[in-house]
């Protein structure tokens, strides 16, 4: 089973980024063969629709579960309609988040958070407020 | 007021059009107050380009309002023709289309109606339909034409409404009451402007944002002047304008009775002291805008 984790860096020792659409990387962990792959999030610098762009990348990777902090309404709708489960996690190392997931300690995210919540902190520099 | 009506329009031919944008940088400096009062004093048409929250009609009370919907294109995907190749989602620069395993999903509010997806689609699966995102309203207040754009609540993109609003403006002088800030909404309004009036207030924020607005209108190479609203004796704006060689068209004095008249939904020029100040500004504008340059 492939799991994608929104992260600040590109390996298992990086911190999980609680923002979905505006995170730097997705670390993808395959629980069957233990392989790790990381992809740079093309949504981080998007003018708008960051979450949608990020979700498209994850859909293309054939993952079955996503671990992140919060997710906006657009990306959430996409994963719901694609039967991909989204799990909520606090900020911790990606390695630990995956471990928590395997132990069944993570809760499934049932509702989308507010739109544009991941802006600011310098990551959303390219955002123009949708105007 | 009669002797001032036409003080600006006097030099314009009947078919001529002069569009003057009223902008500020900082919000709450009095763009609408200045634009509505100047409309009355100079017999100029009033165009409310602040489509996210147009409020100039409150002061001018136009009647016989005609409304027209503003529509934008969005892609419709024919699922029988679609092969889920994903080319449309890849070409979209606004992340409005996503390809899942089962279908292509559209996020219509992200779509900029550019039609790139239709061009990219090799299977002719994409056609376009229209949806309403706002409206243009036009009415008359005495001899003045009052027009405004209204963006529907929840719609993120104001620019298509602003463009529809500013196409085919009436002849004569049009005052374009712009949105606050220096965002796309203001930039798209300036595309239609022949000159600009920058409204600010004597505060640190007013000056800071005025500098941004000055940069913007200079980029457009527009003739412009500054109005200092809520003037309280603080001359920081005048000092900046002098250093930058920018004409100050006039000041509007800060007084409690201005707020009282405003909160009753009336124009300031009903008070003689403000009528005088606005007439002075109208004369100042004559010196700044190009139809007086020959």
């Amino acid at each position: 089973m492939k799991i994608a984790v929104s992260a600040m860096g590109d390996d298992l020792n990086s911190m999980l980024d609680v923002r979905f659409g505006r995170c730097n990387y997705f670390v993808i962990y395959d629980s069957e063969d233990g392989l790790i792959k990381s992809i740079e999030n093309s949504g981080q610098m998007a003018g708008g629709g960051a979450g949608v762009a990020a979700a498209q990348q994850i859909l293309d990777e054939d993952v079955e579960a996503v671990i992140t902090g919060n997710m906006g309404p657009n990306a959430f709708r996409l994963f719901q309609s694609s039967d991909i489960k989204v799990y909520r996690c606090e900020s911790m190392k990606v390695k630990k988040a995956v471990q928590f997931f395997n132990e069944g300690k993570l809760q499934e995210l049932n509702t989308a958070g507010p739109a544009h919540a991941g802006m600011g902190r310098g990551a959303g520099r390219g955002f123009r407020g949708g105007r | 007021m009669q002797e001032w009506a036409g003080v600006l329009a006097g030099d314009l031919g009947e078919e001529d059009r002069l569009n003057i944008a009223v902008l500020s940088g900082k919000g709450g400096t009095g763009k609408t107050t200045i634009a509505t009062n100047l409309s009355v004093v100079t017999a100029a048409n009033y165009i409310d380009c602040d489509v996210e929250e147009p409020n100039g009609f409150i002061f001018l009370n136009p009647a016989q309002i005609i409304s027209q919907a503003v529509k934008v294109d969005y892609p419709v995907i024919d699922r029988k023709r679609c092969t889920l190749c994903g080319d449309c989602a890849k070409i979209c620069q606004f992340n409005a289309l996503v390809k899942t395993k089962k279908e292509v999903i559209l996020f219509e509010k992200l779509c900029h109606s550019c039609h790139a997806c239709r061009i990219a689609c090799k299977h002719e699966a994409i056609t376009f339909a229209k949806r309403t995102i706002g409206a243009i309203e036009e009415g008359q207040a005495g001899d003045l034409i009052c027009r405004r754009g209204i963006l529907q609540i929840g719609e993120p993109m104001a620019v298509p409404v602003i463009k529809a609003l500013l196409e085919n403006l009436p002849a004569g002088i049009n005052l374009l009451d712009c949105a606050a800030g220096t965002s796309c909404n203001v930039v798209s309004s300036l595309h239609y402007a022949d000159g600009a009036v920058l409204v600010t207030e004597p505060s640190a924020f007013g000056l800071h944002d005025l500098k941004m607005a000055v940069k913007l209108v200079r980029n457009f190479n527009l003739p412009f002047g500054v109005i200092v609203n809520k003037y309280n004796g603080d001359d920081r704006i005048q000092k900046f304008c002098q250093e930058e060689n920018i004409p100050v068209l006039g000041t509007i004095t800060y007084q409690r009775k201005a707020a009282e008249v405003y909160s009753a939904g009336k124009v300031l020029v009903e008070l003689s002291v403000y009528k005088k100040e606005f007439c002075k500004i109208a004369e100042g504008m004559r010196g700044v805008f190009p139809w007086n340059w020959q």
Side-chain angles (χ1 to χ4, degrees):
Chain A
M1 179 181 194
K2 277 162 97 179
I3 309 151
V5 185
S6 60
M8 295 182 181
D10 62 357
D11 60 19
L12 285 179
N13 285 315
S14 319
M15 291 301 282
L16 178 144
D17 194 332
V18 291
R19 303 165 308 158
F20 174 74
R22 298 280 179 194
C23 70
N24 295 329
Y25 292 93
F26 290 107
V27 176
I28 298 170
Y29 175 77
D30 194 329
S31 59
E32 261 139 57
D33 50 21
L35 283 179
I36 298 143
K37 179 183 172 185
S38 73
I39 50 174
E40 211 179 336
N41 176 17
S42 68
Q44 61 179 313
M45 282 301 170
V52 175
Q56 176 75 75
Q57 277 182 298
I58 290 184
L59 291 176
D60 292 342
E61 294 290 334
D62 260 337
V63 307
E64 284 169 69
V66 177
I67 302 173
T68 188
N70 298 291
M71 188 177 287
N74 289 351
F76 191 73
R77 184 184 132 199
L78 281 170
F79 289 131
Q80 267 197 327
S81 72
S82 305
D83 299 322
I84 293 171
K85 293 215 161 94
V86 182
Y87 293 88
R88 187 189 164 81
C89 188
E90 303 295 315
S91 179
M92 58 177 74
K93 279 194 174 173
V94 172
K95 196 162 43 180
K96 204 170 167 198
V98 171
Q99 185 197 329
F100 273 29
F101 173 79
N102 287 333
E103 292 167 2
K105 283 183 183 165
L106 296 184
Q107 287 231 317
E108 214 181 307
L109 200 66
N110 294 319
T111 50
H116 300 155
M119 289 166 48
R121 282 209 273 153
R125 275 186 296 265
F127 190 77
R128 294 171 296 130
R131 293 177 173 182
Chain B
M1 217 157 292
Q2 224 52 37
E3 69 266 41
W4 292 101
V7 85
L8 281 170
D11 303 332
L12 283 182
E14 248 175 50
E15 299 296 310
D16 291 345
R17 193 183 292 130
L18 180 75
N19 302 332
I20 300 172
V22 180
L23 64 155
S24 67
K26 184 185 174 297
T29 57
K31 286 175 297 301
T32 299
T33 303
I34 300 289
T36 50
N37 282 282
L38 274 180
S39 284
V40 174
V41 167
T42 63
N45 301 316
Y46 172 81
I47 317 289
D48 202 338
C49 309
D50 191 5
V51 303
E52 286 172 356
E53 49 255 316
N55 61 348
F57 278 24
I58 295 171
F59 304 97
L60 295 174
N61 282 311
Q64 296 159 313
I65 289 171
I66 299 164
S67 179
Q68 203 180 359
V70 177
K71 295 177 178 182
V72 293
D73 286 357
Y74 69 94
V76 179
I77 292 147
D78 182 348
R79 292 180 73 162
K80 279 183 211 136
R81 284 175 175 247
C82 178
T83 63
L84 290 179
C85 70
D87 283 351
C88 55
K90 258 180 238 141
I91 199 84
C92 183
Q93 298 300 297
F94 308 102
N95 305 316
L97 290 167
V98 175
K99 188 206 75 158
T100 70
K101 277 180 191 161
K102 288 175 276 183
E103 60 187 326
V104 173
I105 293 177
L106 166 72
F107 291 93
E108 58 183 18
K109 286 182 180 166
L110 295 176
C111 175
H112 283 52
S113 314
C114 73
H115 289 226
C117 50
R118 179 180 54 78
I119 296 165
C121 180
K122 294 185 199 78
H123 311 284
E124 293 183 0
I126 296 180
T127 52
F128 279 81
K130 286 187 185 297
R131 65 186 193 93
T132 300
I133 62 159
I136 306 297
E137 290 185 350
E138 185 170 312
Q140 292 261 341
D143 291 337
L144 306 183
I145 295 171
C146 300
R147 197 192 277 190
R148 69 173 173 182
I150 304 170
L151 182 67
Q152 267 177 19
I153 290 169
E155 287 296 337
M157 256 182 292
V159 171
V161 178
I162 294 171
K163 283 186 175 163
L165 173 71
L166 298 178
E167 292 293 338
N168 308 315
L169 284 172
I173 297 178
N174 298 303
L175 290 175
L176 315 183
D177 186 3
C178 297
T182 44
S183 67
C184 294
N185 295 358
V186 178
V187 173
S188 359
S189 306
L190 284 179
H191 276 294
Y192 297 84
D194 305 305
V197 171
L198 274 45
V199 182
T200 191
E201 61 182 28
S203 69
F205 290 127
L207 178 59
H208 176 272
D209 290 5
L210 172 68
K211 287 177 184 170
M212 293 178 13
V214 165
K215 244 181 168 174
L216 179 63
V217 290
R218 280 188 173 153
N219 255 313
F220 274 88
N221 248 329
L222 293 173
F224 68 98
V226 166
I227 295 175
V228 185
N229 190 18
K230 307 183 210 174
Y231 181 62
N232 56 3
D234 179 334
D235 283 323
R236 69 177 85 203
I237 304 293
Q238 285 87 336
K239 208 173 144 243
F240 166 75
C241 289
Q242 201 171 14
E243 282 163 14
E244 289 286 322
N245 213 3
I246 298 165
V248 176
L249 301 171
T251 56
I252 310 290
T253 312
Y254 185 70
Q255 281 185 83
R256 187 193 162 92
K257 57 185 173 188
E260 283 168 5
V261 170
Y262 174 90
S263 60
K266 292 180 191 155
V267 285
L268 297 189
V269 291
E270 287 186 8
L271 302 173
S272 64
V273 45
Y274 284 111
K275 189 182 155 193
K276 245 183 243 161
E277 291 184 342
F278 274 98
C279 289
K280 214 180 134 208
I281 288 169
E283 261 196 301
M285 285 166 71
R286 258 175 87 91
V288 168
F289 297 116
W291 79 103
N292 198 35
W293 280 6
Q294 65 286 68

